[in-house]
Amino acid sequence: MRSVTILGATGSVGTSTLDLVEREPTRFRVEALTAHSDVDGLAAAAKRTRAAVAVIGDATRLGALKAALAGSGVEAAAGPEAIVDAARRGADWTMAAIVGLAGLEPVMAALSCGKAVALANKESLVSAGAIMIRAAEDAGARLLPVDSEHNAVFQCYEPAPGRVSRIILTASGGPFRTWTHDQMRGVTPAQAVKHPNWSMGAKISVDSATMMNKGLELIEAHHLFPVGADKLEVLVHPQSVVHSMVEYVDGSVLAQLGDADMRIPIAHALAWPDRMTTPCARLDLARIGQLDFEAPDEMRFPALALARAALAAGGARPAVLNAANETAVAAFLAGQIGFLDIAATVEEVLAQYEPDAPLTLAEVVAIDAEARHKAVSVMRRIAA
Ligand code: NDP
Ligand code: MG
């Protein structure tokens, strides 16, 4: 039996992971489940799976969690430190599916146990990539990519030096792929979170709409598949059938295809190095008929260019980019800034703040905090 911990169990990736885990009760046993504020969702999942412990990040909700778990035998805990403790319990397999840099300390704690860590939480890798990869190597932990593109590359990738000539990340282009810059000015949060192909949490849906998501994914790919930033490309593919491709020096291109259902890459990571059955729809290419591809437009989607520049510059740039983006996306979702202000805010924070490359986790956290602070002042000026 493989013990499983899910960090961010109540989210989109978390519930998809639970769905797979619960289908095979003789294969998987749940150690810990965590959430931020969704007591009901967390308690229901913990009771169903007979988890050893359930942790709610918002410490004011401990009483509610205890009440919801009364008599179930599931231990209750609360607060950010308790989430880190849950990650450190050393399950055989941990899903890192907290959204944003809030997931960084838990994922580092999970890596320190030297087991398998399935990574959905791309923001942590973007901001603390080198530190995280080193920590995984030092502990002998196995990072399994869950992001659909990176999972696709992982399935097609031969890590021997000198073999890979290009990694091509596909992008749906999001809901505004064909919109003009002017049309995008008036985009509302409700329009931005409505992704044409994937059902996801609000933050990543907005990132897909600005294409910052693909920018973050370029940086994520750079850490997971160190072939050199100049060999990473983005290709818009509106149907989201080809999830990414690896080109080899001989001209062969390997791709992974499948229905746009996150349970497919999650199942790959959950069963790895084996495979498991899923209830996901089978790909019907005859019905789909046609697959389209086009170059990304970095003029209409400047977030992609900002992320590419941050990747090329390295150092603290990706951490600043991520922090400014998280802050701006939250403000957009709260109705405080416009859609186009997201990339404008990130660009301005990057222009204002150029700290040295972080060498420790504490330095990443400090750079992140300062970049958020600067993003708030930039947005205040934009909104005025
Ligand atoms: P959701 O917003 O749906 O879920 C986020 C999860 O994290 C919830 O369980 C939430 O708890 C928890 N959480 C939120 N804030 C905190 C916090 N401060 N401390 C602790 N826990 C917190 O996000 P998604 O599932 O969509 O995405 C999760 C991660 O996976 C992101 O990094 C995203 O980029 C990545 N990803 C997602 C994909 C998708 O299809 N959704 C695809 C590829 C990558 P609560 O419910 O209580 O708020
Ligand atoms: Mg992705």
Side-chain angles (χ1 to χ4, degrees), residues 4-7 9 30-34 51-55 86-87 89 91:
V4 167
T5 283
I6 305 174
L7 307 168
V30 174
E31 179 65 28
L33 299 178
T34 82
V53 57
V55 186
R89 288 169 79 106

Side-chain angles (χ1 to χ4, degrees), residues 39-95:
V39 166
D40 293 343
L42 176 64
K47 285 198 269 194
R48 275 196 328 267
T49 57
R50 299 165 194 239
V53 57
V55 186
I56 194 83
D58 177 352
T60 65
R61 300 191 190 213
L62 180 59
L65 182 63
K66 279 187 170 158
L69 290 173
S72 67
V74 181
E75 187 189 322
E81 279 310 312
I83 293 182
V84 174
D85 291 342
R88 211 176 274 124
R89 288 169 79 106
D92 298 323
W93 187 91
T94 298
M95 166 57 82

